[in-house]
């Protein structure tokens, strides 16, 4: 897995069908504890609602997942919400759809459509961000090279962070893993071999498209 999508922040959306109201909410999450806390808050806020159905996907490999129908007919609520997340290739996301019953049964097809549309609206409102595998590099150099290196990084759309000034200057940069070799080569050429480049770790990061 070299990339996945997640949401930029929280989002919400509402879908109505035959006076039943479906309130979709999307939350960025990374742990089961966060998920439990959010579900508790949603249930508390909408305490008079009939159902709080949800689905989540955790981890870059998207293997940690769960869907809950919360009393709705099996497969009509949690699974459609999960399919929305799968369609977006989204991870580290929890979507909860709260239903207020309008007095008219919707049938399995109507329920599936309603939960799907409410989930889609919440995810769309939150916005998607592409996360790619990247590497954090620490650059250490003489002060005389700083302007030249900064110019090179700016040309490639890379921002230096965590600058430290001692007898030499150091900074951190984050680059897509697929471009690490190219960036290293460019920096080595710009510094005539006088820039020390060390890896500070890998992970998933949001890079400009």
């Amino acid at each position: 897995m070299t990339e996945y999508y997640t949401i930029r922040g929280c989002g919400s959306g509402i879908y109505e069908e035959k006076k039943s109201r479906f309130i979709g909410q999307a939350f960025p999450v990374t742990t089961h504890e966060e998920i439990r806390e959010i579900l508790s808050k949603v249930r508390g806020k909408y305490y008079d609602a009939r159902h709080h159905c949800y689905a989540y996907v955790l981890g870059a490999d998207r293997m940690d997942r769960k869907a809950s129908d919360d009393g709705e007919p099996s497969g009509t609520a949690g699974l459609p919400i999960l399919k929305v997340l799968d369609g977006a290739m989204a991870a580290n996301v929890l979507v909860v759809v709260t239903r207020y019953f309008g007095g008219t049964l919707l049938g399995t097809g109507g329920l599936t459509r309603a939960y799907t549309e409410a989930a889609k609206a919440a995810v769309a409102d939150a916005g998607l961000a592409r996360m790619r595998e990247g590497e954090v590099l620490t650059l250490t150099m003489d002060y005389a090279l700083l302007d030249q290196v900064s110019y090179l990084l700016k040309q490639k759309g890379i921002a230096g962070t965590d600058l430290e000034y001692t007898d030499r200057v150091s900074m951190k940069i984050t680059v897509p893993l697929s471009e690490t070799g190219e960036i290293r080569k460019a920096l080595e050429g710009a510094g005539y071999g006088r820039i020390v480049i060390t890896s500070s770790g890998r992970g998933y990061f949001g890079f400009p498209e």
Side-chain angles (χ1 to χ4, degrees):
M1 189 79 178
T2 59
E3 67 178 46
Y4 67 93
Y5 288 83
T6 192
I7 54 177
R8 299 181 184 278
C10 295
S12 62
I14 296 175
Y15 181 83
E16 294 186 2
E17 178 81 14
K18 295 180 180 178
K19 297 184 178 180
S20 279
R21 197 163 185 247
F22 298 81
I23 303 170
Q25 296 180 88
F27 305 89
V29 292
T30 56
T31 67
H32 292 102
E33 183 178 359
E34 286 180 292
I35 291 170
R36 287 191 293 268
E37 290 177 355
I38 290 171
L39 289 174
S40 178
K41 289 179 180 178
V42 170
R43 289 167 179 148
K45 181 177 181 179
Y46 302 105
Y47 63 90
D48 54 343
R50 177 167 290 193
H51 303 284
H52 303 286
C53 306
Y54 66 89
Y56 66 76
V57 178
L58 294 180
D61 59 3
R62 308 186 67 254
M63 296 300 292
D64 189 347
R65 52 181 45 225
K66 182 180 178 180
S68 170
D69 294 312
D70 193 36
E72 292 282 32
S74 179
T76 63
L79 186 58
I81 298 171
L82 185 61
K83 285 183 177 179
V84 170
L85 294 179
D86 284 342
M89 289 181 59
N92 295 333
V93 181
L94 164 69
V95 173
V96 186
V97 178
T98 297
R99 180 191 182 189
Y100 281 93
F101 184 53
T104 302
L105 296 176
L106 302 183
T108 57
L111 286 173
T112 298
R113 179 174 61 254
Y115 280 103
T116 298
E117 293 304 318
K120 282 183 177 179
V123 171
D125 185 53
L128 288 173
R130 183 186 182 195
M131 304 294 286
R132 288 188 284 165
E133 194 172 8
E135 185 171 14
V136 179
L137 301 176
T138 298
L139 315 179
T140 304
M141 71 201 83
D142 294 332
Y143 282 84
L145 292 172
L146 181 57
D147 287 344
Q148 188 173 349
V149 168
S150 297
Y151 179 78
L152 172 65
L153 295 177
K154 183 178 180 180
Q155 292 295 104
K156 294 184 175 296
I158 300 172
T161 62
D162 299 335
L163 269 72
E164 292 186 6
Y165 301 95
T166 55
D167 57 322
R168 307 185 79 198
V169 61
S170 67
M171 70 172 71
K172 285 182 168 48
I173 61 171
T174 304
V175 298
L177 193 61
S178 60
E179 299 174 19
T180 299
E182 176 190 338
I183 297 298
R184 280 179 174 269
K185 186 176 180 180
L187 287 167
E188 288 166 357
Y192 303 101
R194 292 182 289 142
I195 301 173
V196 178
I197 306 172
T198 57
S199 175
S200 299
R202 295 182 180 181
Y204 286 85
F205 307 92
F207 295 101
E209 294 294 334

